[in-house]
């Protein structure tokens, strides 16, 4: 756990009694504080030095806080400004935020609750300052295959993709749910000779069985109830390009027979038509099922399996490429923050360790969803181990192999709390600031884990 950062804070207030009082509170927290009695003096201070946070009074003689605020934002765009006023109105607060204020706090600031509120807002404002000056960037970005990772397992997969993509051979992709079989299929198409032709997808498990054949082969108007117009099937739409059949193990036996004929002959018969359409399609199929077992019980055609399985590829589960988890997680976190218009966040070292220890029954899809949740629900710029632990352990899908994760997370949390308390000489307020939690939460955790100064 990193030590609490010492902030450079400028207190701007025309009241000579308030400035030293706030200065004393902030210096007790370890921060370095300067004072300014009016807006112009504050601007001069900002021109001469760099501050992390400015506490700016709204009502002052001469240049008011609201007048000085846009000038401060222009002069020091990396500095967070917190407006403070004894005349708190919605109108003033709205004006302050519109002009660039980080937050708005009502005076007086002479009660423990108000002081705690102020310190909390300052901590959040300082995080914004750090982000403005040192933006968090994703340590990894998708390569030309659209994949992220450098583990031996993913490196071998990418090498296989590059070898087989230029051919016209049929590809059969296996792997658990959520590993990214669709990304692999897309990468194969983009690196193939058919890259400028259509890439058409069909999830065989997403449609009722009586509609799959219509989607795959198309139909003529009036071929069945509800067929009000001719429909072009996915095989025809993929002519010249690639057809990706995801979850092919869910195809009915009847559809399997028709698909086998279309693959072997290169011809498509629309439902309700006597005409045959010639197509040139590269087929990529994928499944998370054991098709050998399905063949044994008669649920999947062996001849279709052998026809599709010309170039087999296996996508490894996330638990077999643990060194990729950290880069993947930070990439998804950055993308989710951007998509949700949230300030960028980063994962702490402890949080990454927790992610690497988890079994990931939902694979990359589960990791992406978890990072989206963290982007929306975690306050501040750092996602910590304790932010993630409840979401992971509370998942009913976590298999029995991960039953020791709770104890490991608690052990690390206890160690982090103990280090923070010892480094602050057991000052609970300071330790809570170091840990990024409030005093009440820290006291609760101390009671839970039996932590006390001996």
């Amino acid at each position: 756990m990193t030590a609490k950062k010492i902030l450079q804070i400028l207190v701007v207030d025309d009241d000579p009694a308030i400035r030293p009082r706030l200065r004393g509170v902030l210096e007790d927290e370890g921060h370095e504080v300067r004072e300014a009695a009016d807006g112009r003096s504050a601007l001069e201070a900002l021109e001469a030095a760099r501050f992390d946070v400015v506490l700016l009074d709204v009502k002052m003689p001469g240049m008011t806080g609201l007048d000085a605020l846009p000038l401060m934002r222009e002069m020091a765009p990396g500095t967070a400004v917190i407006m403070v006023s004894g005349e708190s109105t919605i109108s003033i607060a709205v004006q302050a935020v519109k002009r660039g204020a980080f937050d708005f706090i009502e005076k007086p600031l002479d009660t423990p609750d108000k002081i705690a509120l102020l310190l909390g807002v300052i901590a959040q404002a300082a995080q914004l300052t750090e982000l403005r000056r040192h933006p968090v960037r994703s340590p990894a970005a998708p390569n030309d295959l659209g994949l992220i990772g450098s583990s031996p397992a993913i490196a071998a997969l990418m090498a296989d993709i590059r070898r087989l993509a230029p051919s016209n051979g049929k590809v059969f992709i296996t792997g658990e749910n959520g590993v990214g079989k669709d990304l692999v299929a897309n990468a194969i198409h983009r690196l193939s000779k058919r890259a400028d032709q259509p890439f058409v997808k069909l999830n065989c498990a997403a449609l009722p069985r009586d509609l799959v054949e219509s989607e795959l082969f198309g139909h003529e108007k009036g071929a069945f109830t509800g067929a009000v117009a001719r429909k072009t099937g996915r095989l025809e739409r993929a002519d010249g390009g690639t057809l990706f059949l995801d979850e092919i193990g869910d195809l009915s036996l009847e559809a399997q027979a028709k698909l086998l004929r279309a693959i072997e002959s290169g011809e498509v018969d629309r439902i309700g038509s006597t005409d045959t359409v010639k197509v040139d399609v590269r087929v990529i199929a994928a499944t998370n099922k054991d098709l050998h077992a399905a063949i044994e019980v008669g649920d999947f055609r062996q001849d279709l399996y052998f026809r599709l399985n010309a170039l087999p590829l296996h996508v490894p589960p996330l638990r077999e490429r643990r060194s990729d988890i950290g880069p993947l997680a930070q990439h998804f976190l950055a993308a989710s923050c951007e998509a949700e218009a949230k300030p960028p966040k980063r994962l702490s070292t402890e949080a990454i360790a927790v992610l690497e220890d988890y079994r990931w029954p939902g694979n990359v899809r589960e990791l992406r969803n978890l990072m989206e949740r963290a982007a929306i629900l975690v306050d501040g710029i750092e996602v910590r181990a304790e932010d993630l632990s409840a979401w992971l352990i509370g998942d009913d899908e976590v298999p029995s192999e991960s039953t020791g994760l709770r104890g490991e997370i608690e052990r690390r949390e206890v160690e982090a709390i103990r280090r923070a308390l010892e480094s602050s000489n057991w000052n609970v307020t300071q330790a809570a600031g170091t840990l990024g939690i409030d005093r009440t939460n820290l006291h609760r955790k101390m009671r839970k884990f039996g932590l006390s100064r001996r």
Side-chain angles (χ1 to χ4, degrees):
M1 185 67 66
T2 57
K4 183 177 180 180
K5 182 181 178 182
I6 296 174
L7 303 176
Q8 304 294 322
I9 301 177
L10 177 63
V11 176
V12 187
D13 200 301
D14 65 313
D15 191 328
I18 290 178
R19 293 197 307 272
R21 189 185 312 151
L22 287 176
R23 181 172 191 158
V25 169
L26 297 173
E27 288 181 341
D28 285 346
E29 291 292 313
H31 303 307
E32 296 181 1
V33 184
R34 287 186 58 183
E35 300 178 23
D38 55 51
R40 295 196 180 279
S41 299
L43 293 175
E44 291 173 1
L46 279 172
E47 190 173 15
R50 189 170 80 166
F51 294 90
D52 298 300
V53 178
V54 175
L55 297 182
L56 181 61
D57 188 25
V58 171
K59 189 175 181 180
M60 294 183 293
M63 180 181 289
T64 68
L66 287 176
D67 292 334
L69 176 58
L71 298 175
M72 290 181 173
R73 297 294 298 118
E74 182 178 351
M75 181 182 297
T79 299
V81 180
I82 301 171
M83 301 298 293
V84 183
S85 177
E87 298 180 2
S88 178
T89 66
I90 293 178
S91 174
I92 292 176
V94 169
Q95 288 183 62
V97 172
K98 283 185 175 180
R99 297 186 187 192
F102 174 78
D103 208 337
F104 187 95
I105 299 179
E106 183 181 2
K107 291 182 181 179
L109 301 173
D110 54 2
T111 65
D113 287 347
K114 278 295 184 70
I115 294 297
L117 173 63
L118 174 65
L119 294 177
V121 172
I122 287 174
Q124 294 174 14
Q127 291 177 336
L128 177 63
T129 298
E130 183 178 351
L131 280 173
R132 284 171 173 165
R133 293 174 181 167
H134 307 287
V136 176
R137 303 188 187 278
S138 172
N143 53 32
D144 62 328
L145 299 181
L147 305 176
I148 293 175
S150 57
S151 65
I154 203 69
L157 174 65
M158 289 192 286
D160 287 341
I161 291 172
R162 295 184 192 281
R163 277 196 296 269
L164 61 81
S167 75
N168 279 316
K170 299 169 186 63
V171 182
F172 194 73
I173 305 171
T174 57
E176 298 175 7
N177 276 330
V179 294
K181 297 187 289 294
D182 55 336
L183 288 177
V184 171
N186 197 290
I188 293 169
H189 174 72
R190 285 188 290 104
L191 294 184
S192 74
K193 300 171 184 176
R194 300 168 179 257
D196 60 343
Q197 297 299 314
F199 178 69
V200 179
K201 299 185 287 186
L202 176 63
N203 187 325
C204 301
L207 294 170
R209 289 201 167 193
D210 56 346
L211 292 181
V212 169
E213 289 188 38
S214 174
E215 286 294 326
L216 195 54
F217 307 107
H219 63 250
E220 295 291 341
K221 179 179 179 180
F224 51 83
T225 303
V228 296
R230 169 186 282 186
K231 180 181 181 64
T232 302
R234 305 292 174 99
L235 275 161
E236 279 189 74
R237 285 162 51 189
D239 187 25
T242 304
L243 175 65
F244 175 46
L245 298 174
D246 199 9
E247 304 299 349
I248 195 166
D250 287 87
L251 270 184
S252 68
L253 288 170
E254 184 179 1
Q256 290 175 37
K258 291 183 178 180
L259 176 62
L260 177 62
R261 178 187 176 281
I263 291 174
E264 290 181 333
S265 66
E267 298 177 346
V268 174
D269 296 325
R270 295 195 194 101
I271 299 174
S273 174
T274 57
D275 297 328
T276 296
V277 180
K278 295 288 292 184
V279 294
D280 172 24
V281 177
R282 182 184 193 178
V283 175
I284 301 176
T287 185
N288 67 330
K289 293 185 175 182
D290 181 355
L291 290 193
H292 291 289
I295 291 170
E296 288 291 328
V297 298
D299 288 339
F300 200 84
R301 294 180 62 105
Q302 187 177 54
D303 47 3
L304 177 60
Y305 173 77
F306 287 130
R307 177 65 67 175
L308 294 172
N309 195 32
L311 298 172
L313 272 183
H314 179 70
V315 184
L318 196 53
R319 62 182 176 276
E320 292 180 6
R321 41 181 295 214
R322 294 191 183 277
S323 62
D324 296 333
I325 291 175
L328 273 168
Q330 187 60 65
H331 171 75
F332 290 142
L333 182 62
S336 294
C337 288
E338 182 177 357
E340 296 293 335
K342 297 282 187 180
K345 294 180 173 65
R346 60 169 172 256
L347 291 156
S348 71
T349 302
E350 293 82 359
I352 292 175
V354 167
L355 296 178
E356 290 176 343
D357 286 343
Y358 186 55
R359 183 172 169 78
W360 296 108
N363 288 294
V364 178
R365 183 183 297 131
E366 183 183 6
L367 177 61
R368 184 176 61 242
N369 291 344
L370 182 70
M371 290 302 99
E372 182 178 355
R373 192 182 309 171
I376 296 171
L377 298 181
V378 173
D379 295 324
I381 66 168
E382 187 171 75
V383 178
R384 301 174 303 241
E386 52 265 36
D387 295 321
L388 304 175
S389 59
W391 294 333
L392 293 174
I393 295 173
D395 190 343
D396 292 334
E397 290 186 317
V398 177
S400 59
E401 289 91 331
S402 63
T403 53
L405 180 60
R406 180 189 296 275
E408 176 63 16
I409 291 172
E410 287 194 354
R411 182 185 68 77
R412 294 183 181 187
E413 188 176 9
V414 170
E415 288 178 358
I417 293 173
R418 190 186 300 278
R419 285 197 303 270
L421 288 167
E422 290 175 350
S423 65
S424 66
N425 197 26
W426 290 81
N427 182 314
V428 175
T429 300
Q430 187 174 336
T434 300
L435 294 164
I437 61 178
D438 58 53
R439 285 171 50 92
T440 303
N441 193 12
L442 179 54
H443 276 300
R444 180 181 60 78
K445 290 179 180 293
M446 290 171 66
R447 290 193 299 271
K448 174 183 176 182
F449 299 129
L451 294 172
S452 60
R453 189 171 190 173
R454 303 187 189 284

